[in-house]
Amino acid sequence: MESSLDGRRSRRIRDHGRHLGERAAEPFERSFQALGSLAYSHARVSASASDLDSGEVVLAIDENVALPTAEVGSLLLLIEVAARLADGRLAPLDEVSRDAPAGDGTRVDDPRTGGLWSSLLLPTLGVRDAATLVGAVRDPVATNALARLVGLDAIHGRGESLGLKRTALLDFARATRGPDDAPQFSVGSAYELQSLFGDLVAGRCVDTAVSNRVLGWLSTGSDLSMVAAAFGLDPVAHRDRDHGIQLVNLTGADLGVRSEAGALRGRRRGLAYAVTVAFDDTDLAARLRVLEVLRTVGLDLLEHVS
């Protein structure tokens, strides 16, 4: 769905600097300027946000472009796992192991991939607990264990059934990627990702039970370093409203990639959003600049819902 408003705003980022005066009072002014500055420094940016109730698009910047989204793609894995729990193909206490290799023999408990489970003593977890780790800390070992359980083909099929054309989980999480591996863990368009969060909140993603289960896992998410850095929430305790704000989100981080998608409720309204920046991660200053821009987008989102 691409309205004339979407098209105008997508073009405006390319006209950054020529029309600042005429856009001075526009909503999301800071976001357009900040993301525009990154685009002019050769980063690739994509952003989309829409009203949770009306569906009105309020932010659209190259929203249909597919960019690397790192662990944000694990959202499709969580949806597939939730669907199998709902229809009985999986049970919450079915066990998954961190020690088994992926289909190509890659060990998935390599601590270089980070996460929390690789530091715990338990070699197996129930499906529900593993999914909670994915939602809470985007744990790569738990991600791989669940992806191995349901299969990458099933995750691809789930994305297709949801109508996704530019968003997909491509591979297992890996500490390093060789020439025979997929170049990215996942890719996605900002428009499809924010639409997916809108469907989750509305109970339309598969069905209400599946949507609520996925939202429950995501509500434990502890990474508030990107867009959500602007919301002032406690990273480990924000499942309930805090000063009128409620958030569910999922982030992805890789070398040269920062991505976040989520749903934000305020006192006045709610928004589904997604923002991705792919950039030349040459030094810490470049990375910090991207994080500051993402926080700026968050400030505009917060102002819109408050």
Side-chain angles (χ1 to χ4, degrees), residues 13 16 31-45 275-280 285-294 297:
I13 196 168
H16 178 83
S31 296
F32 281 107
Q33 290 195 32
L35 289 167
S37 70
L38 286 181
Y40 273 81
S41 63
H42 306 294
R44 292 178 293 164
V45 302
V275 187
T276 299
V277 180
F279 62 103
D280 192 0
R287 184 180 296 176
L288 291 175
R289 183 186 179 198
V290 169
L291 290 173
E292 184 59 30
V293 167
L294 292 174
V297 176

Side-chain angles (χ1 to χ4, degrees), residues 7 32 87 150 186:
F32 281 107
D87 66 20
V150 303
S186 75

Side-chain angles (χ1 to χ4, degrees), residues 14-66:
R14 294 189 289 272
D15 294 336
H16 178 83
R18 289 195 296 166
H19 304 294
L20 292 182
E22 67 190 62
R23 294 196 294 113
E26 216 174 87
F28 291 93
E29 170 71 16
R30 288 173 297 197
S31 296
F32 281 107
Q33 290 195 32
L35 289 167
S37 70
L38 286 181
Y40 273 81
S41 63
H42 306 294
R44 292 178 293 164
V45 302
S46 180
S48 183
S50 66
D51 189 279
L52 284 173
D53 299 314
S54 69
E56 177 192 3
V57 175
V58 299
L59 174 66
I61 298 173
D62 289 340
E63 69 278 14
N64 292 314
V65 174

